[in-house]
Amino acid sequence: MKKYILNTLIALGTLSLTSCEDVIDLQGITNAPSMLVVDGNVTDVSTSQVITLTQSQDYFTNATVKPVLGASVTVTDSDGKIFTFNDLKGDGKYVWTPTTAVPKIGQVGKTYTLKITANGETYQAVSELKRVPKIDSIAYQFDEARLNQRDDDKGYPKEGYDAQFYARDFTGIGDCYRIIAYKNGKMLEMSNTVAIAYDAAIQKSSGAADGLIFSLPVRSTISPQLYLAGDTIKVELRSITEGHFDFWTQARLEVNNGGLFARPSANIPTNVNNVNAASSKKAIGWFGTSAVSFSQTIVDPKKAQKGLR
């Protein structure tokens, strides 16, 4: 998760706003205790895995986010195999690098335990690596930019190609996913901060979307802006736990919470806990695990479809 989102959420999560007439103690906000911020996700892809550790800051500070240095960071799978992460550049990004003998960490069905020892405290998080379906295809059609795709300041195209990806949710209620799209190798900014799905739908349901092809709102999340002829579209579909889905759901609500009728802010869930329950030193953020499926295509006007639904 991007650090500017985390900093905003940290502050929002500490507020207790019960009505538009409440008096807010700004002194309490600016003097909130600093907490460990964890941002990490282990996948089944044979590539370097990164767990980022930073320290939370006061809501109104403009200082650069402070990395947590000198920590001990390990991930242990349910078979007892330990993977050690090292801060190679002294920037709070703890990295595990694959080798020929050990090409990857993640395996579907295994449970992974993150252990962090930092500043005299030990923290732990547990996550199961869930299954992910194959992406069947990516389709696109020529169109004019919708309102949410237009951003003249960023030079987004006003006409081009809307894209969708196609995949089918597994049978069995409660599979959760995150969708990430890339345009010419660069990750796109998704609407509402992050694109997630519960079974084949955007939101949780009681099974109505189970086992179906992903719904149009899910499929079209890969087009927060239009693509042009010759652009490369890459889509990642990542499995996440239901707890991670709830984390992203609440985070999205808090980032987009505002205006005259803003609702009271709520704490963002975390699965990172201090092993010493009596300690006042807490952590926030999330440690996740994902199986990943990929698909990629190059926009060819001759292959564009019409009337995608």
Side-chain angles (χ1 to χ4, degrees):
M1 184 172 55
K2 301 297 184 183
K3 61 185 178 182
Y4 70 87
I5 296 176
L6 272 172
N7 288 338
T8 302
L9 297 180
I10 292 161
L12 290 173
T14 61
L15 300 181
S16 297
L17 308 181
T18 56
S19 75
C20 294
E21 297 178 354
D22 285 346
V23 176
I24 302 172
D25 179 11
L26 295 180
Q27 182 68 26
I29 297 174
T30 57
N31 291 331
S34 181
M35 293 179 284
L36 175 69
V37 182
V38 178
D39 177 14
N41 201 71
V42 167
T43 74
D44 65 347
V45 181
S46 181
T47 187
S48 295
Q49 310 286 303
V50 182
I51 295 171
T52 302
L53 305 182
T54 56
Q55 208 69 35
S56 69
Q57 301 179 126
D58 292 336
Y59 182 51
F60 296 106
T61 185
N62 291 318
T64 302
V65 174
K66 184 179 179 181
V68 174
L69 307 178
S72 170
V73 180
T74 61
V75 171
T76 304
D77 69 17
S78 47
D79 291 334
K81 186 172 181 57
I82 300 174
F83 304 87
T84 300
F85 288 64
N86 297 300
D87 187 1
L88 303 176
K89 297 181 179 180
D91 57 0
K93 296 183 184 297
Y94 292 78
V95 181
W96 175 86
T97 304
T99 64
T100 302
V102 187
K104 63 180 182 179
I105 295 179
Q107 292 187 32
V108 173
K110 287 189 177 182
T111 299
Y112 294 84
T113 301
L114 170 67
K115 182 179 179 182
I116 300 167
T117 301
N119 301 323
E121 302 285 343
T122 299
Y123 304 84
Q124 185 171 288
V126 179
S127 181
E128 181 183 355
L129 199 146
K130 301 287 190 175
R131 59 187 180 174
V132 70
K134 177 183 176 181
I135 298 175
D136 295 321
S137 61
I138 300 172
Y140 45 87
Q141 66 179 357
F142 190 80
D143 205 350
E144 293 183 351
R146 301 185 300 273
L147 182 61
N148 66 330
Q149 293 175 323
R150 300 196 59 164
D151 194 327
D152 295 336
D153 292 338
K154 295 184 178 180
Y156 290 173
K158 294 180 174 58
E159 62 178 22
Y161 295 86
D162 261 321
Q164 301 177 27
F165 77 98
Y166 288 84
R168 181 180 290 274
D169 171 53
F170 290 113
T171 299
I173 299 173
D175 288 289
C176 300
Y177 313 98
R178 181 182 176 190
I179 303 100
I180 303 174
Y182 300 83
K183 179 178 180 180
N184 299 325
K186 182 179 180 180
M187 185 187 296
L188 291 176
E189 295 180 8
M190 297 294 197
S191 59
N192 298 320
T193 305
V194 65
I196 52 177
Y198 187 93
D199 290 328
I202 287 287
Q203 297 178 329
K204 281 189 176 182
S205 65
S206 58
D210 179 46
L212 303 178
I213 293 174
F214 286 126
S215 66
L216 177 60
V218 175
R219 300 198 308 266
S220 60
T221 55
I222 67 170
S223 279
Q225 58 179 267
L226 296 179
Y227 299 90
L228 299 177
D231 281 345
T232 297
I233 306 172
K234 179 182 176 182
V235 180
E236 286 184 9
L237 182 61
R238 296 187 170 211
S239 63
I240 57 176
T241 63
E242 187 167 348
H244 206 175
F245 177 90
D246 293 338
F247 168 85
W248 281 120
T249 298
Q250 189 62 41
R252 189 167 59 185
L253 287 171
E254 296 306 321
V255 167
N256 292 282
N257 186 29
L260 181 61
F261 300 104
R263 56 172 180 73
S265 294
N267 290 326
I268 310 301
T270 181
N271 66 342
V272 185
N273 299 295
N274 194 321
V275 298
N276 179 8
S279 175
S280 62
K281 300 292 185 180
K282 305 300 181 183
I284 53 178
W286 197 272
F287 167 66
T289 47
S290 299
V292 187
S293 61
F294 305 86
S295 186
Q296 182 171 298
T297 190
I298 297 175
V299 177
D300 181 352
K302 295 180 180 179
K303 297 181 180 179
Q305 301 184 23
K306 294 183 180 180
L308 286 179
R309 292 291 184 270

